[in-house]
Amino acid sequence: MFFDRPESGETAILVHFDFNRYDEPEDPREFEELVLAAEGDPVAFLMGQRAAPHPKYFIGTGKLDELRQLVEQHQAAVVIFNHVLSPSQERNLEKVVQCRVLDRVGLILDIFAQRARTHEGKLQVELAQLRHIASRLVRGWTHLERQKGGIGLRGPGETQLETDRRLIRDRIRSIEARLEKVRRQREQGRRSRQRAAIPTVSLVGYTNAGKSTLFNQITNAGVFAENQLFATLDPTMRRLELQDIGPVILADTVGFISHLPHRLVEAFRATLEEVARADLLLHVIDSAAEQSSEQIEQVEAVLEEIGASEQPQLRVYNKVDLLPDAAPKIDRDPEGRPVAVWLSAQSGAGTDLLMQAITELLADDMLHETLHLPPVLGRLRARFYAHNSVVSEQFLDDGSSAVELRMPKKDLMRLLSAENVSWDDLNWQGNLQTGHEHTRMAG
């Protein structure tokens, strides 16, 4: 990378302002948790109110003097704003307070840089960081903007600023190409699972809602889970076996946060596509959090942004052990379909209800029936085998077969359409004659 991460334990001054014109102010408590997650050492919190941000310094001149005094008093290494600063505001502030200034986007990027473990995760974080820092390279090297002439120095040249921009552009193109390769590999894996009729269930939710704890409780995966923001960054997948459904892929994903930087959404496109293509989303909610309703709205907003808002969703209200008089249960809609499950991922109470609800919802889309296929539909039979959807097969005296199928209904309809066969032409188990020559089990 082109820049170094701050040393851990840096003394930090935190700045949070409420603006009258903003309907959704940032949460100062969550902001402090973010700084602690970045291994910062908050020593002072400067708060205030304004009608609108100051165009030059974001905060007013009076608060700016107060901030400068706090930096001098605590010998702070960094000032962190719970807001998005423009590049010019960042530079103007640094000139006054004489230390580094970081905004909310830079802070979240720093946490992501710490937490990335896989090669793909590190590439995605670096891409987001480079795009962010590229916007900060405006006149950053003004002393080298014009090269002086002289012996051996005449002729066309490249300023330091132009060199930095070119290096960053080249690196961004290189990372984008490598992430595109990762995206193609993920797409290939998804197609393989679709051919094998294996549903995918993705855990989504606000950061620190307990997704990884729940993931570990269900799968015994041993994924890193801590009571801190963005404990999980790299996606993890495990295979589960559900009764009446068969194999299911469960995916743990990065947590969302209010006003998630758009650069992160772009950089994590390959990972977030797993969410957008899932057969079922488990929206894990911290039921004990004071801001749970706001967190739900923020998650729904990110799902909308990545094109996953229309995916089937089951809400999972976690941490019921922290609520008075609360017990694990399943909430159902008027038609009896599960819409929410209340449980404790920490103790495991209610996870059996979650598995029951997942099975019910996936079974709605899964067909597990026996079909009578005459020889004339041999091509359709071959397609069922190519799709890995045949559980077993019985051959009958008349040359036809009874094929036990297990596959998503939408995939069956797609295969029927490809073979120009209508649903009404099919003959299901109830109409079969008894008697057969032999049975073939599908491997």
Side-chain angles (χ1 to χ4, degrees):
M1 297 194 183
F2 294 98
F3 39 85
D4 296 322
R5 280 204 59 259
E7 297 291 329
S8 62
E10 285 184 309
T11 54
I13 308 294
L14 312 189
V15 181
H16 171 87
F17 269 65
D18 289 325
F19 295 99
N20 300 336
R21 64 188 181 91
Y22 289 155
D23 297 327
E24 297 180 12
E26 306 288 4
D27 183 359
R29 288 170 299 181
E30 180 183 85
F31 175 43
E32 188 170 4
E33 289 179 17
L34 281 171
V35 175
L36 292 172
E39 298 181 356
D41 179 18
V43 292
F45 213 134
L46 179 65
M47 304 182 74
Q49 286 187 325
R50 282 183 63 88
H54 190 283
K56 186 173 182 180
Y57 297 112
F58 193 84
I59 58 178
T61 52
K63 285 291 183 181
L64 183 61
D65 287 339
E66 193 176 335
L67 177 61
R68 181 175 51 77
Q69 292 169 12
L70 284 173
V71 171
E72 292 177 356
Q73 176 186 343
H74 295 282
Q75 294 295 298
V78 60
V79 173
I80 307 176
F81 278 69
N82 192 22
H83 311 277
V84 178
L85 301 176
S86 70
S88 60
Q89 287 171 338
E90 209 170 272
R91 285 193 305 276
N92 293 335
L93 286 164
E94 286 182 346
K95 288 177 183 176
V96 175
V97 300
Q98 292 296 299
C99 71
R100 280 184 301 109
V101 173
L102 203 61
D103 68 356
R104 183 180 174 88
V105 175
L107 174 63
I108 294 176
L109 288 174
D110 183 83
I111 297 171
F112 273 49
Q114 290 184 60
R115 303 285 161 77
R117 294 291 180 268
T118 66
H119 177 63
E120 177 195 354
K122 291 176 181 177
L123 283 177
Q124 290 175 133
V125 172
E126 185 179 357
L127 176 61
Q129 285 181 312
L130 288 172
R131 285 174 172 166
H132 182 65
I133 201 174
S135 67
R136 264 67 183 156
L137 279 180
V138 182
R139 300 186 64 81
W141 297 82
T142 51
H143 62 292
L144 292 175
E145 277 289 351
R146 295 180 179 275
Q147 291 186 349
K148 297 179 180 179
I151 298 173
L153 296 176
R154 297 185 179 94
E158 187 173 46
T159 67
Q160 182 65 50
L161 178 59
E162 290 165 346
T163 302
D164 288 349
R165 283 175 174 160
R166 178 175 53 80
L167 289 172
I168 288 178
R169 279 197 306 268
D170 291 346
R171 180 63 177 162
I172 286 176
R173 278 196 293 267
S174 171
I175 294 175
E176 286 176 336
R178 291 157 77 177
L179 286 176
E180 179 62 25
K181 182 178 180 182
V182 171
R183 192 191 68 79
R184 288 196 299 268
Q185 290 170 343
R186 284 188 181 277
E187 182 64 35
Q188 188 175 10
R190 275 193 294 268
R191 284 198 298 267
S192 297
R193 292 195 295 273
Q194 287 171 353
R195 283 196 298 270
I198 300 178
T200 300
V201 178
S202 283
L203 292 167
V204 299
Y206 207 78
T207 181
N208 205 30
K211 295 183 300 301
S212 295
T213 304
L214 179 60
F215 186 83
N216 288 337
Q217 185 69 245
I218 296 173
T219 65
N220 297 316
V223 170
F224 178 68
E226 281 291 333
N227 183 25
Q228 60 184 17
L229 302 182
F230 298 118
T232 302
L233 181 58
D234 300 306
T236 308
M237 294 188 181
R238 289 294 185 273
R239 183 181 175 117
L240 291 177
E241 289 289 336
L242 294 182
Q243 189 174 2
D244 299 329
I245 298 296
V248 172
I249 298 297
L250 184 66
D252 187 18
T253 59
V254 61
F256 301 153
I257 196 168
S258 63
H259 305 109
L260 186 70
H262 187 68
R263 288 188 181 92
L264 280 180
V265 176
E266 288 178 342
F268 280 74
R269 183 169 63 96
T271 301
L272 293 174
E273 278 181 356
E274 292 293 342
V275 175
R277 305 288 183 86
D279 296 280
L280 177 65
L281 300 181
L282 301 184
H283 181 174
V284 182
I285 299 162
D286 183 352
S287 61
E290 295 181 11
Q291 310 286 334
S292 61
S293 58
E294 290 86 350
Q295 292 177 0
I296 291 172
E297 291 177 5
Q298 292 294 338
V299 171
E300 297 290 352
V302 176
L303 291 176
E304 178 79 30
E305 186 171 355
I306 64 177
S309 58
E310 299 300 319
Q311 299 302 101
Q313 186 180 128
L314 175 68
R315 289 190 173 181
V316 181
Y317 289 92
N318 187 25
K319 307 184 184 181
V320 295
D321 50 317
L322 301 180
L323 297 176
D325 303 324
K329 63 176 180 175
I330 298 179
D331 292 339
R332 299 179 181 273
D333 63 14
E335 298 176 358
R337 287 170 53 88
V339 292
V341 177
W342 297 73
L343 53 75
S344 169
Q346 189 68 44
S347 67
T351 52
D352 56 332
L353 298 178
L354 175 62
M355 305 311 285
Q356 176 187 332
I358 294 173
T359 300
E360 288 183 38
L361 291 173
L362 291 180
D364 270 2
D365 187 53
M366 289 292 290
L367 179 140
H368 190 180
E369 300 287 346
T370 301
L371 178 65
H372 180 205
L373 280 179
V376 70
L377 293 181
R379 279 170 54 92
L380 182 60
R381 173 180 172 273
R383 280 185 174 269
F384 289 148
Y385 272 101
H387 201 270
N388 291 331
S389 300
V390 179
V391 178
S392 66
E393 183 177 16
Q394 296 177 348
F395 291 96
L396 306 178
D397 297 335
D398 61 359
S400 62
S401 61
V403 181
E404 182 186 356
L405 296 176
R406 185 169 63 195
M407 65 189 303
K409 292 178 184 176
K410 63 178 183 295
D411 290 346
L412 173 62
M413 300 309 294
R414 182 172 54 81
L415 294 183
L416 293 179
S417 176
E419 289 300 317
N420 200 23
V421 177
S422 80
W423 178 272
D424 295 334
D425 294 335
L426 300 179
N427 191 358
W428 296 98
Q429 176 77 54
N431 300 325
L432 287 179
Q433 298 292 323
T434 57
H436 60 273
E437 293 181 355
H438 62 278
T439 300
R440 171 182 171 184
M441 297 300 295

